């Protein structure tokens, strides 16, 4: 017996992990070298050496009882101060130790923010296509996720759909750049537009509307600066995660960063601290927090992802596929060769290619290729994509 609410959400979800598992089964039958599993965003580049070195040093030098004991719910103060100093220096911000809350990755941060900000039927706008778990992070807390479809020619936020998505129940806007599933990095012009509409709507409704910037892919940007959102909008709350930057998603570490200027700062911090306990996270892992004293700005070697992106983007566009050049993350959004993207993914399986249907991300008619695979796999998948194209040309 599970709750009706959860049952409904389980029945309606398109589970990308199922596609990934199917890929593993196919690999057992045909050999892993013959399966092109582009379904899931699991990092494929080794973590930088400094991550393990830092952890070993901490384990060897810090008193075990204190290291493994409960830290404050919001995290070790010296780590939070270190992150505040780093961000202030890098982005010219005004963070203090009090405005940094250590979290178990971005997922818990978003759940805690929903729990802190939303009352029943409050609304959260997000730019679509969007990471499918956003719906659960909002609806588990009885909120409503309202998608604002991007311009599908550019994959940038669209002012018309954005403006139309607001209501007096809008409490925050959830933005993700570099984006999962499209790989788009939102431009300064897009962000100025987003900020000016937000300011207009704050005035119209007379209450703060936060901009929550979910940034697990900030470090994965290829030859492009990812704008920092506090430069655009005062009521910005940044959510950062080391899952992809350091290839350590299993370790669960990230943070929420809020400048003291953010409206209702004290209440928000108190709400997040309580949410940390109420939702059962208690605190972010202590060893991983301490590791950040040495790795706050570290990242994996992103040239490896860039090489794979180039192979796929060039290969597919030369064949005649429509895809918008992705500047970040490790995703390529490709137009399906028929309207039914789920059926297109089924057809691709004939060539042992596994992709995620765009419908799962509120981007119907498209598919997501997650290119966190070795460059060799990407290269060897190209003849399969060619055959898939030929199937549709017949
Ligand atoms: N947000 C986006 C856009 C993601 O793609 C992911 C994971 O893939 C997350 C949040 C959750 O990441 P984390 O491992 O930091 O919880």
């Amino acid at each position: 017996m599970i709750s009706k609410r959860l049952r409904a959400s389980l029945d309606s979800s398109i589970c990308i992990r199922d596609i990934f598992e199917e890929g593993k089964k196919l690999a057992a039958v045909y050999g892993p070298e013959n399966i092109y599993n582009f379904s899931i965003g699991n990092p494929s580049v080794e973590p930088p050496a400094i991550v393990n070195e830092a952890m070993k040093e901490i384990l060897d030098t810090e008193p075990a009882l204190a290291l493994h004991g409960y830290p404050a719910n919001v995290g070790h103060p010296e780590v939070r101060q270190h992150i505040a100093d780093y961000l202030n220096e890098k982005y010219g911000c005004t963070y203090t130790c009090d405005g940094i809350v250590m979290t178990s990755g971005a997922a818990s941060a978003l759940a805690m923010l929903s729990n802190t900000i939303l009352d029943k039927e409050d609304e959260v706008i997000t730019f679509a296509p969007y990471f499918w778990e956003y719906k659960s992070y909002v609806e588990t807390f009885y909120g409503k996720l309202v998608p604002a479809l991007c311009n599908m020619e550019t994959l940038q936020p669209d002012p018309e759909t954005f403006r139309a998505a607001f209501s007096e129940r809008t409490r925050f806007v959830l933005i993700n750049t570099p984006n999962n599933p499209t790989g788009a990095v939102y431009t300064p012009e897009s962000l100025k537009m987003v900020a000016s509409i937000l300011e207009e709507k704050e005035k119209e409704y007379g209450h703060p509307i936060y901009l929550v910037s979910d940034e697990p892919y900030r470090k994965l940007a290829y030859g492009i600066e990812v704008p920092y959102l506090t430069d655009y909008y005062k009521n910005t709350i940044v959510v950062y995660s080391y899952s992809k930057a350091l290839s350590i998603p299993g370790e669960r570490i990230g943070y929420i960063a809020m400048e003291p200027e953010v409206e209702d700062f004290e209440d928000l911090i108190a709400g997040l601290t309580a949410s940390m306990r109420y939702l059962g996270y208690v605190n972010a892992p202590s060893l991983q927090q301490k590791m950040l004293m040495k790795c706050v700005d570290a990242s994996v070697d992103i040239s490896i992802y860039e090489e794979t992106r180039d192979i796929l983007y060039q290969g597919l566009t030369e064949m005649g596929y429509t895809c918008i050049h992705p500047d970040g993350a490790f995703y390529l959004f490709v137009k399906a060769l028929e309207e039914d993207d789920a059926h297109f993914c089924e057809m691709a399986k004939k060539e042992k290619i596994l992709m995620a249907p765009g419908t799962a991300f509120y981007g119907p008619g498209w598919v997501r290729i997650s290119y966190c695979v070795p460059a060799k796999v990407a290269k060897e998948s190209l003849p399969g994509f060619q055959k898939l194209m030929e199937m549709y040309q017949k």
Side-chain angles (χ1 to χ4, degrees):
M1 230 345 235
I2 64 170
S3 74
K4 293 186 193 72
R5 175 182 53 83
L6 194 58
R7 167 64 59 209
S9 109
L10 291 182
D11 290 347
S12 66
S13 75
I14 299 173
C15 194
I16 286 157
R17 274 189 181 271
D18 290 347
I19 307 173
F20 184 70
E21 292 304 323
E22 193 181 340
K24 286 211 276 195
K25 279 188 204 141
L26 289 173
V29 177
Y30 297 103
E33 68 286 2
N34 298 315
I35 301 298
Y36 310 108
N37 197 343
F38 298 113
S39 58
I40 204 168
N42 209 359
S44 58
V45 174
E46 284 290 311
I50 191 171
V51 170
N52 279 6
E53 284 161 16
M55 281 197 245
K56 281 184 201 147
E57 192 189 321
I58 295 162
L59 286 168
D60 285 345
T61 55
E62 297 225 1
L65 193 58
L67 173 63
H68 300 303
Y70 289 118
N73 297 122
V74 288
H76 291 293
E78 72 277 19
V79 176
R80 291 156 58 218
Q81 185 62 56
H82 184 63
I83 291 172
D85 293 344
Y86 159 73
L87 292 173
N88 293 345
E89 163 134 18
K90 187 157 176 125
Y91 300 112
C93 299
T94 57
Y95 294 114
T96 61
C97 172
D98 291 345
I100 307 291
V101 175
M102 303 308 299
T103 64
S104 301
S108 73
L110 295 172
M112 283 160 51
L113 280 163
S114 287
N115 191 50
T116 300
I117 298 174
L118 301 180
D119 275 314
K120 197 168 176 208
E121 285 167 24
D122 276 347
E123 295 176 6
V124 175
I125 299 174
T126 197
F127 298 101
Y130 62 82
F131 176 47
W132 75 89
E133 296 279 28
Y134 283 174
K135 212 166 147 59
S136 343
Y137 300 154
V138 169
E139 292 186 355
T140 300
F141 303 95
Y142 309 101
K144 189 175 154 207
L145 188 71
V146 182
L149 192 64
C150 282
N151 175 331
M152 293 307 282
E153 310 262 295
T154 60
L155 297 175
Q156 295 287 321
D158 175 76
E160 312 258 292
T161 58
F162 183 44
R163 197 175 262 113
F166 280 86
S167 84
E168 59 186 10
R169 300 300 303 257
T170 306
R171 301 303 312 274
F172 65 91
V173 171
L174 180 49
I175 192 166
N176 169 226
T177 170
N179 185 267
N180 176 8
T182 66
V185 174
Y186 295 159
T187 61
E189 292 67 37
S190 294
L191 299 175
K192 273 183 211 148
M193 176 276 285
V194 167
S196 97
I197 294 179
L198 268 163
E199 277 158 13
E200 175 191 316
K201 292 291 172 184
E202 274 196 338
K203 267 199 205 114
E204 183 179 336
Y205 297 123
H207 60 75
I209 304 176
Y210 300 105
L211 180 60
V212 173
S213 177
D214 176 30
E215 311 196 341
Y217 302 98
R218 166 166 289 279
K219 286 275 179 193
L220 275 56
Y222 312 112
I224 188 170
E225 240 348 271
V226 180
Y228 203 70
L229 275 81
T230 55
D231 288 343
Y232 296 82
Y233 187 63
K234 185 184 86 165
N235 280 332
T236 293
I237 301 173
V238 171
V239 168
Y240 189 77
S241 163
Y242 288 89
S243 291
K244 313 291 158 94
L246 298 181
S247 285
I248 54 166
E251 299 299 348
R252 314 306 305 137
I253 190 71
Y255 58 80
I256 297 170
M258 230 188 303
E259 292 185 303
E261 294 79 16
V262 168
E263 251 171 282
D264 296 330
F265 174 89
E266 265 102 29
D267 276 357
L268 286 168
I269 295 292
L272 289 170
T273 311
S275 298
M276 183 81 85
R277 299 200 314 275
Y278 298 172
L279 301 183
Y281 299 113
V282 184
N283 56 261
S286 173
L287 174 62
Q288 303 306 326
Q289 291 188 40
K290 298 239 171 186
M291 176 269 290
L292 297 180
M293 295 298 286
K294 295 254 161 72
C295 304
V296 69
D297 189 35
S299 99
V300 294
D301 177 358
I302 63 165
S303 70
I304 301 174
Y305 289 132
E306 191 175 8
E307 185 192 352
T308 315
R309 177 204 60 175
D310 290 345
I311 292 167
L312 284 167
Y313 178 75
Q314 272 158 27
L316 294 187
T317 45
E318 272 164 32
M319 284 173 211
Y321 285 93
T322 302
C323 31
I324 289 127
H325 188 260
D327 288 317
F330 39 51
Y331 306 108
L332 181 63
F333 217 49
V334 183
K335 203 158 181 14
L337 298 177
E338 59 172 303
E339 247 173 58
D340 183 344
D341 48 89
H343 184 255
F344 178 65
C345 289
E346 285 304 313
M347 295 289 278
K349 281 185 200 160
K350 293 188 182 162
E351 295 304 323
K352 317 276 187 306
I353 295 170
L354 287 102
M355 303 177 288
T359 303
F361 309 95
Y362 206 89
W366 293 71
V367 293
R368 186 192 74 173
I369 290 179
S370 179
Y371 58 82
C372 37
V373 297
K376 183 172 176 291
V377 172
K379 237 177 251 160
E380 290 171 358
S381 72
L382 292 177
F385 278 107
Q386 180 67 49
K387 285 202 195 129
L388 184 60
M389 174 64 88
E390 284 158 15
M391 277 185 228
Y392 282 88
Q393 283 167 339
K394 272 183 199 152

